Amino acid sequence: MPSTATAPDHAQEAAERLLSPGHAAIVGLQWGDEGKGQTVDLLTPHFQAIARFNGGNNAGHSVHVGNEKFALHLLPSGITHPGVLCVIGNGVVVDPSPETGLLKEIQTLADRGITVDADKLQISNRAHVVMPYHRVEDGLYEALAKAGKSEITAGAIGTTGRGIGRAYADKAHRSTAIRMGDLLVPDRLHDQLRPILRIKNALLQALADLAGVEYTPFELDTLLRQAADWANALGPMIGDTTQALLDIENNPTSGGGRVLFEGANAALLDVDHGTYPYVTSSTTSALGAATGTGLAPRHLHNVLGVAKAYTSRVGGGPHPTELLDATGEHIRQTGNEFGTTTGRPRRVGWLDLTAIKYSAQLNGCTALVLTGLSVLAGLPELKLAVAYEHDGQRLDTFPADAFVLEQATPIYQTLPGFPTGTDDATAFADLPDAAKAYVQAVEDFVGIPIKLVCVGPKRSQALPR
Ligand code: GDP
Ligand code: IMO
Ligand code: MG
């Protein structure tokens, strides 16, 4: 099992720079894949619990431990560390299945020598279940939108196809929802699932007819058998995680335990504050940490916003600084910008400072982490979007309307590039002056201190500043 003993000395220094007493949230400031997993992994030894509060296995957080790389989807990114409780909070939607979901992820870790049991992982009984029909529903809506047959959405969202939005829709709908706790009460589950399945089969058949594809109805007995298997495997881990986190928070022997809230997805994908409708279906900012875990925000004193030194986006929606040229391809290849969850090539572009400032304010960030700096090395000049132009007017703030953003052109500030070799740096002070100036320009614009700069995804490449 990988051990925290392999962490370099500056993990401790990073924590000292980034954290004051109290809980912390780590959140993405762009459209996802900023490198949240790396910072969570680095700071985990300073917390008693790591709690996911939103999203589901649409997230893909990569964590590098020594020479090993872990891609985590539902499991918190602190899972490789011994002695810390990992929590999947009530705000998460959980696909339990061994084919596509949590049980698959747990098995993958077991194959690599990491045991995930009830001492290590607690799953909220209030978290909603992503059922197999949610994935089919997700796929059918996307197929309809892509084929231009749908008046349901403005266009294909380009979802991860994991059924996330459909599970959250059923949560809001209430009468068609299943929660993790329901899996533990088979008779009740049977009575819940029977009417749900009649509705789902009718709905999915209608969607399939519209899309012109075949549909095989889900069978009650098969789903109940699957659910019984999930309950059997996960049952000991399912419980009241709000109480478990309160017990940690109120623990008198530790003087109050600390919780690290791990955000999934990112601010610009937030269902309320992101580029709607091209968003995911949960509260992705630090604002969701309380509702998604049940812990009131009174001890949440640290909100660390993670931004990549350039922008990436997967799926549809506006991306004003997108690079569709050779520079974009260079960044994609150098940054290995292919989805951790779906393998899709990410749409990369220059850093959008207006967007990051908006996200940092939304989250109430106390410090920033800037990742991916070395990916820009070797480019002759670097551009930072500092405003937009729309309809002949300058916009200095991030527009609430995604369709305005879609039509907006970035106004750039240009900085000199810096030479390659930055990924070997072992201290921020060793970086070339032009790289330091780039970091300073970001900090000056956003107005929040950048305390950690990552020149690659390994623990040793996270440099305190
Ligand atoms: P997360 O979802 O925010 O945890 O981030 P992912 O692990 O999904 O994606 C991070 C992406 O950024 C990967 O494609 C990395 O190859 C790329 N990347 C480039 N530079 C860095 C870096 O300095 N740190 C990290 N963590 N990722 C980097
Ligand atoms: P992490 O946590 C990047 C995007 C999808 C799609 C939109 C809606 O790894 O940063 P969904 O399946 O959630 O209904 O898809 O949101 N998306 C992400 N993009 N990183 C993620 O997570 C994402 N989670 C969702 O690509 O555009
Ligand atoms: Mg990711």
Side-chain angles (χ1 to χ4, degrees):
M1 178 157 171
S3 131
T4 49
T6 57
D9 288 345
H10 48 238
Q12 175 64 30
E13 196 186 338
E16 284 163 15
R17 301 268 173 106
L18 283 163
L19 298 172
S20 58
H23 303 328
I26 292 180
V27 288
L29 299 185
Q30 294 157 313
W31 281 290
D33 307 322
E34 297 88 354
K36 298 174 288 293
Q38 180 180 27
T39 305
V40 173
D41 169 61
L42 203 72
L43 298 183
T44 289
H46 299 271
F47 295 87
Q48 279 66 53
I50 315 295
R52 276 279 305 269
F53 59 86
N54 77 297
N57 58 351
N58 52 352
H61 296 180
S62 38
V63 166
H64 291 244
V65 183
N67 292 325
E68 287 200 72
K69 179 180 167 187
F70 296 86
L72 302 162
H73 303 284
L74 275 159
L75 292 170
S77 298
I79 197 80
T80 69
H81 294 255
V84 64
L85 178 67
C86 288
V87 171
I88 295 179
N90 57 276
V92 177
V93 288
V94 182
D95 173 356
S97 87
E99 293 83 23
T100 54
L102 183 58
L103 284 166
K104 180 181 181 189
E105 214 175 318
I106 290 175
Q107 185 59 49
T108 306
L109 286 198
D111 293 344
R112 299 173 70 178
I114 297 175
T115 305
V116 177
D117 56 17
D119 290 335
K120 186 82 208 150
L121 178 70
Q122 290 283 303
I123 307 161
S124 172
N125 48 13
R126 296 178 175 96
H128 280 250
V129 182
V130 181
M131 297 293 286
Y133 47 75
H134 287 130
R135 289 196 303 277
V136 175
E137 202 177 331
D138 199 350
L140 284 171
Y141 273 109
E142 285 288 296
L144 276 170
K146 273 191 199 129
K149 289 182 183 174
S150 170
E151 289 165 13
I152 304 160
T153 62
I157 307 279
T159 70
T160 58
R162 300 297 191 263
I164 304 299
R166 312 321 310 174
Y168 278 117
D170 278 337
K171 173 179 178 175
H173 197 226
R174 293 153 298 164
S175 52
T176 48
I178 305 282
R179 304 205 295 181
M180 290 302 287
D182 296 330
L183 299 178
L184 306 180
V185 192
D187 290 349
R188 193 172 77 198
L189 183 66
H190 173 274
D191 293 349
Q192 283 174 288
L193 204 50
R194 191 173 42 180
I196 291 175
L197 217 47
R198 290 190 65 183
I199 293 168
K200 285 292 170 189
N201 276 332
L203 173 71
L204 297 183
Q205 185 66 64
L207 289 173
D209 289 346
L210 270 178
V213 296
E214 287 293 311
Y215 174 68
T216 312
F218 283 92
E219 287 180 7
L220 181 61
D221 287 348
T222 314
L223 272 188
L224 285 171
R225 266 199 307 276
Q226 284 176 313
D229 290 344
W230 303 338
N232 202 26
L234 296 173
M237 302 176 206
I238 301 172
D240 186 348
T241 53
T242 303
Q243 191 57 53
L245 289 171
L246 280 170
D247 289 346
I248 286 175
E249 186 176 81
N250 296 326
N251 184 348
T253 48
S254 64
R258 301 175 83 186
V259 179
L260 178 55
F261 301 97
E262 176 176 356
N265 330 127
L268 303 180
L269 291 170
D270 185 274
V271 69
D272 287 286
H273 303 284
T275 48
Y276 194 89
Y278 301 101
V279 293
T280 189
S281 302
S282 65
T283 298
T284 56
S285 73
L287 304 177
T291 51
T293 59
L295 274 198
R298 67 194 171 122
H299 297 301
L300 180 51
H301 300 316
N302 305 281
V303 178
L304 313 180
V306 186
K308 208 151 45 180
Y310 49 95
T311 310
S312 71
R313 175 163 208 171
V314 207
H319 183 346
T321 62
E322 184 170 9
L323 286 164
L324 298 166
D325 56 7
T327 305
E329 194 50 36
H330 170 80
I331 292 175
R332 181 161 34 250
Q333 295 300 336
T334 314
N336 190 24
E337 292 294 352
F338 298 89
T340 311
T341 297
T342 59
R344 291 179 289 179
R346 297 185 184 133
R347 301 162 55 199
V348 300
W350 296 120
L351 187 60
D352 187 338
L353 288 179
T354 313
I356 289 179
K357 186 169 186 172
Y358 165 76
S359 298
Q361 286 171 345
L362 176 73
N363 278 288
C365 287
T366 52
L368 301 185
V369 175
L370 192 71
T371 64
L373 187 65
S374 62
V375 174
L376 298 176
L379 292 172
E381 57 180 28
L382 305 171
K383 292 190 179 188
L384 294 163
V386 292
Y388 312 106
E389 191 181 303
H390 178 259
D391 222 1
Q393 292 205 315
R394 183 184 165 104
L395 301 180
D396 283 303
T397 53
F398 193 72
D401 186 335
F403 299 95
V404 170
L405 190 66
E406 183 88 64
Q407 294 155 2
T409 342
I411 298 172
Y412 287 113
Q413 171 190 353
T414 303
L415 292 183
F418 51 88
T420 54
T422 43
D423 48 342
D424 290 335
T426 53
F428 181 79
D430 296 343
L431 291 176
D433 286 346
K436 288 183 194 155
Y438 185 84
V439 177
Q440 189 62 50
V442 178
E443 181 175 279
D444 289 346
F445 189 95
V446 181
I448 294 166
I450 298 174
K451 297 282 191 183
L452 190 69
V453 173
C454 300
V455 292
K458 295 180 184 163
R459 282 178 180 167
S460 58
Q461 289 174 305
L463 313 176
R465 172 173 182 262

